[in-house]
Amino acid sequence: MENITEAAVTEFINATVKKEEGHLHEMELFAKENYVPIIQREAGRFLSVLVSIINPERILEMGTAIGYSALLMANSCKAHITTIERDEEMFCLALDNIAKLGMQNRIRLIHGDAEAEVQNLPGKFDFIFIDAAKGQSPIHFDLALEKLAPGGVILTDNVLYRGMVAQKEDVGHKHRTIVNRLKEFLDSICNDERFDTAILPIGDGMAITKVK
Ligand SMILES: C[S@@+](CC[C@H](N)C(=O)[O-])C[C@H]1O[C@@H](n2cnc3c(N)ncnc32)[C@H](O)[C@@H]1O
């Protein structure tokens, strides 16, 4: 399986939803040319609308890449955003992009590993976007819980891993560990009484969790 939904459906949605303009559009082109895995358009639209509805005061993002999703969120609400990236090249590109859009006062970019950095962050966040390494999502989710304000929302990207998580046939040795880990993770967050979770077949699969 390569796509979560039929290619024609994704193509239709991507052709229909609002397109980003200016520097955000240039970032999309850069990401495509340089194989940087930024959020897909239909999932990006969902993220934008979601943060504009929730209207959080503080957002935490794990996995910045070039800063695309952080900038999308900054454009869609008034929140202060903290975002963490461990790769130095990505970190520098993100720094540059945030400065180009004059968002330095709204977005705090941290260079480091989410596992080490999150626990040192002061205060709580109303919305947490987990978009770092898929295999680490369960760990990042636990870290997020510690930093989430009461009634907060966690959005975890890439939970269906190109559809392999839903695949009945064996996914093969290379992907088995990560797929099993994601299955266990989804099972646990969907059946935990502390949370309300929905799984959405957009982008690479997203889980949205409201902590009661
Ligand atoms: C899918 S990309 C993020 C895309 C970005 N959120 C967007 O949509 O524009 C994942 C990024 O997470 C970073 N990453 C992976 N594991 C990480 C970790 N443990 N801590 C911080 N960053 C991490 C990778 O270097 C990569 O740039």
Side-chain angles (χ1 to χ4, degrees), residues 61-70 83-85 94 98 109-110 131:
E61 176 183 65
M62 303 185 212
T64 320
I66 57 172
Y68 180 78
S69 52
T83 179
I84 306 171
E85 174 55 53
I98 292 164
L109 176 59
I110 297 174
D131 193 19

Side-chain angles (χ1 to χ4, degrees), residues 7-33:
V9 175
T10 309
E11 269 169 38
F12 171 80
I13 295 174
N14 284 339
T16 307
V17 291
K18 193 182 96 182
K19 321 265 175 308
E20 301 309 325
E21 292 169 354
H23 191 63
L24 277 172
H25 178 61
E26 281 169 28
M27 288 171 74
E28 288 173 359
L29 298 177
F30 176 89
K32 199 168 176 190
E33 274 165 28

